[in-house]
Amino acid sequence: MVKKKPKKRKKSTKNWRNFWRLGMDEFNTQYFDVSQNGDLVVKEGHYQYNIMDIVRKYGTSTEVFFPYILENRVRDLMEFFNAYIKILNYKGKFFYHYVMKSNQNRDFVLTAIAEGANIEVSSANELFLVKRMLEQDKFNRKLRVTCNGPKTNQYISLIEELRDKGLIVIPIIENAEELEKLKKFRGEVGVRVNLDVKVDSHWDKKYNHFGFDEVELLKIGKIRNLSMLHYHISTQNEKIEGFIKPLKRAFPLYAKLKETNPNLDTINFGGGMAVPYEKRKKLLSVKNLVSQMIKTAKKESERLGIKHPNLVCEWGSYFTAPSQISIFKVLGEKHIAKKADTKWYFIDGSFICNLTDTWSVVRRKWHFTSANHLNTKRLQKVWLAGSTCDADDRYTASGNYVLLPKLTEDISDLYVVAFDTGSYQYTLSNNHCLLSKPAMIVCQNGEIKLSRKRQTADDLGKIFGWNGDHK
């Protein structure tokens, strides 16, 4: 009697989830999963959003924002800091400031504020949005605003106006000209220092034009209403030492400044927290980082004989990037003559227009999956080509490849998902070749809503002066 060969089991959804690096806290994909029929789904408690349902209703190219992901990340960080402040008997307070330049979309900003975030702005126009929120009673007067960036007369005028309305607005002085302009400002001010310290990160500039040099700052002496010492070292900092080293460097400077500025009570350590864009290696533990920072701040304070300072964090991408994905349709494929095992997949979006950070040192690599057919065993190594006429509008994973489902007779409708696109991409985006900016969808509390329409040809024409009245 011939024994029948046992049937091979299909990979479970758990196996497919692991294969595509989904459902993993260390990669910021803990809310993502694969449905029984191979679609990408995003979970909010017991709610579940099927990405293909969104595609079928709203089309592509589309950005999808999940406010609860941003909420959870803000809440977790604040709870970590407050917990270790209590455990370690640290006497200073912690304040998180949402970085508006990371994503100025109303849905993002109001979500962060709702979780107790304060605000950091980098321009007069961003501060104008804060003014608009204040006028609309979107937040209470306890919200604090730090103001970075060059202080134009318009910017300073707006800072003074909001301060007179009772808001805590703290301009960060970066040079001698700003020091002179703000010498009569009646509110709190901060000062930025260019710390003489290097860390292993993506900040590779030999010369830094931000802030005062350490020696230069100490020579200034008393600064009216100085309450905050601010520094920013790097971006995409993947090691705990990259945060601890500059903090240790800042403390002696803080102590010296406090001798002539007794109201100084806060150290703002800026941004720089890394995001695991590639999903290939674990980054530092935020919980461990927070613990080490509080321990370091306490130890340095007591060594120098000073009161424990308040601590301010201005992380941007760490919160906004993982809370949004971008979806594109695969329009077709093409063989690559000198790379037989890899094909071009053409998408209905653009790396030049929609994912401009593709070329940056910091975020030149993305994590991709498909929105459908995630349970197929037939996979293809691909390079992705955008829809503009430029040869550089492509993504090749630095010469490597992206693995996606293979286009076959059964799989002709394929949609590509780029993860971690919630930070900077929309403000850096453009309309090269007059391509439309994507629609934006918001998923919250089991509901799906259209927050921003995809640009139409008429919308684009108006931007460039084609108002319909030209003959």
Side-chain angles (χ1 to χ4, degrees):
M1 184 176 178
V2 180
K3 290 184 179 181
K4 292 183 179 180
K5 291 182 179 180
K7 291 182 179 179
K8 290 184 178 180
R9 288 186 177 183
K10 292 183 178 180
K11 283 187 178 181
S12 68
T13 55
K14 182 179 179 181
N15 290 337
W16 287 118
R17 182 180 64 197
N18 293 340
F19 179 82
W20 294 108
R21 297 286 196 275
L22 305 176
M24 299 181 181
D25 288 9
E26 63 269 30
F27 294 142
N28 297 339
T29 61
Q30 61 267 45
Y31 302 98
F32 295 82
D33 205 345
V34 181
S35 71
Q36 290 294 329
N37 66 346
D39 289 345
L40 181 67
V41 294
V42 191
K43 297 181 176 181
E44 179 188 7
H46 291 299
Y47 288 127
Q48 181 167 288
Y49 306 99
N50 188 306
I51 298 304
M52 285 306 299
D53 289 343
I54 294 173
V55 168
R56 282 187 280 269
K57 184 172 182 178
Y58 296 102
T60 54
S61 57
T62 298
E63 297 171 344
V64 187
F65 170 47
F66 304 97
Y68 59 91
I69 295 180
L70 177 57
E71 289 172 356
N72 290 341
R73 294 178 76 77
V74 171
R75 190 183 308 124
D76 286 348
L77 183 76
M78 295 175 68
E79 287 178 355
F80 286 155
F81 267 100
N82 290 330
Y84 279 108
I85 282 173
K86 185 175 181 180
I87 291 168
L88 298 170
N89 196 28
Y90 188 78
K91 303 303 181 183
K93 296 179 180 179
F94 171 72
F95 299 95
Y96 168 62
H97 286 242
Y98 175 84
V99 181
M100 281 194 70
K101 67 181 178 183
S102 179
N103 197 311
Q104 297 101 337
N105 274 290
R106 185 174 182 274
D107 293 291
F108 280 75
V109 177
L110 294 182
T111 296
I113 290 176
E115 291 304 313
N118 296 285
I119 294 290
E120 183 270 349
V121 299
S122 298
S123 69
N125 288 342
E126 286 185 346
L127 190 56
F128 175 79
L129 296 180
V130 174
K131 176 186 174 182
R132 179 64 58 82
M133 287 189 288
L134 181 66
E135 292 170 345
Q136 296 172 352
D137 289 327
K138 294 297 183 184
F139 54 78
N140 63 47
R141 300 302 173 99
K142 291 182 180 180
L143 183 136
R144 299 159 61 90
V145 183
T146 50
C147 301
N148 290 306
K151 309 303 182 301
T152 62
N153 291 337
Q154 178 193 11
Y155 199 175
I156 292 175
S157 177
L158 196 51
I159 288 171
E160 292 174 337
E161 178 185 343
L162 292 183
R163 188 267 170 198
D164 290 342
K165 290 182 177 180
L167 197 63
I168 302 172
V169 186
I170 307 173
I172 307 299
I173 298 169
E174 299 214 22
N175 53 52
E177 287 73 22
E178 291 183 4
L179 183 63
E180 178 65 23
K181 287 180 179 180
L182 289 162
K183 67 180 182 180
K184 294 182 179 179
F185 180 63
R186 291 177 292 172
E188 297 178 44
V189 302
V191 64
R192 180 164 175 173
V193 61
N194 175 18
L195 287 179
D196 187 15
V197 61
K198 298 296 180 184
V199 299
D200 184 13
S201 70
H202 290 275
W203 189 284
D204 60 349
K205 308 302 181 188
K206 185 176 180 180
Y207 301 102
N208 183 359
H209 59 281
F210 299 108
F212 294 91
D213 292 339
E214 295 176 24
V215 174
E216 182 184 17
L217 180 57
L218 290 175
K219 287 180 179 179
I220 294 174
K222 187 171 180 58
I223 300 174
R224 178 174 172 168
N225 298 332
L226 180 64
S227 67
M228 181 181 293
L229 175 65
H230 180 287
Y231 68 85
H232 179 80
I233 294 298
S234 63
T235 189
Q236 197 65 4
N237 193 340
E238 299 177 0
K239 297 178 181 178
I240 288 180
E241 183 61 21
F243 291 93
I244 300 302
K245 188 177 178 181
L247 186 61
K248 287 181 178 178
R249 179 82 184 189
F251 259 90
L253 183 65
Y254 173 86
K256 282 282 187 182
L257 285 172
K258 195 168 176 64
E259 291 176 6
T260 50
N261 298 274
N263 291 328
L264 179 63
D265 63 3
T266 302
I267 292 180
N268 182 337
F269 56 87
M273 185 62 185
V275 176
Y277 289 98
E278 294 185 71
K279 318 300 183 198
R280 291 184 180 180
K281 64 177 181 179
K282 296 180 182 179
L283 303 183
L284 61 86
S285 161
V286 175
K287 190 174 182 180
N288 289 341
L289 171 60
V290 171
S291 171
Q292 292 301 312
M293 292 198 77
I294 298 297
K295 287 178 181 178
T296 300
K298 183 178 181 181
K299 182 179 179 180
E300 292 299 306
S301 297
E302 293 172 357
R303 181 179 68 83
L304 295 162
I306 58 175
K307 184 179 178 181
H308 300 171
N310 300 325
L311 298 175
V312 169
C313 166
E314 294 177 347
W315 292 351
S317 298
Y318 173 78
F319 296 99
T320 56
S323 59
Q324 179 182 286
I325 60 174
S326 297
I327 314 168
F328 308 97
K329 183 177 182 179
V330 175
L331 302 174
E333 64 178 358
K334 181 180 179 181
H335 291 282
I336 302 175
K338 296 181 180 180
K339 202 170 177 65
D341 64 339
T342 308
K343 291 184 178 181
W344 286 111
Y345 274 12
F346 294 86
I347 63 171
D348 66 346
S350 163
F351 296 98
I352 288 177
C353 297
N354 309 130
L355 297 176
T356 311
D357 247 358
T358 299
W359 300 307
S360 79
V361 173
V362 182
R363 289 172 288 275
R364 61 174 172 236
K365 292 189 177 181
W366 303 95
H367 179 63
F368 291 94
T369 71
S370 57
N372 53 346
H373 307 297
L374 284 168
N375 56 357
T376 181
K377 294 180 180 179
R378 302 189 68 181
L379 300 170
Q380 175 67 54
K381 294 179 182 179
V382 305
W383 286 349
L384 297 170
S387 290
T388 70
C389 59
D390 286 82
D392 284 334
D393 191 3
R394 59 187 181 179
Y395 181 82
T396 65
S398 297
N400 201 345
Y401 61 84
V402 175
L403 198 61
L404 289 172
K406 187 180 182 67
L407 293 177
T408 65
E409 291 183 2
D410 297 326
I411 300 179
S412 57
D413 60 329
L414 187 64
Y415 293 86
V416 175
V417 174
F419 285 71
D420 303 310
T421 64
S423 182
Y424 296 105
Q425 299 321 296
Y426 190 76
T427 49
L428 290 175
S429 65
N430 55 75
N431 297 114
H432 184 45
C433 287
L434 225 56
L435 295 188
S436 301
K437 288 190 177 183
M440 180 179 168
I441 308 299
V442 176
C443 298
Q444 178 85 326
N445 298 325
E447 297 182 355
I448 300 172
K449 70 174 185 179
L450 177 65
S451 177
R452 184 183 64 233
K453 293 181 179 180
R454 187 176 302 107
Q455 286 177 318
T456 65
D458 189 51
D459 293 334
L460 291 167
K462 290 177 181 177
I463 290 173
F464 293 94
W466 300 91
N467 298 316
D469 55 352
H470 297 278
K471 295 182 180 181

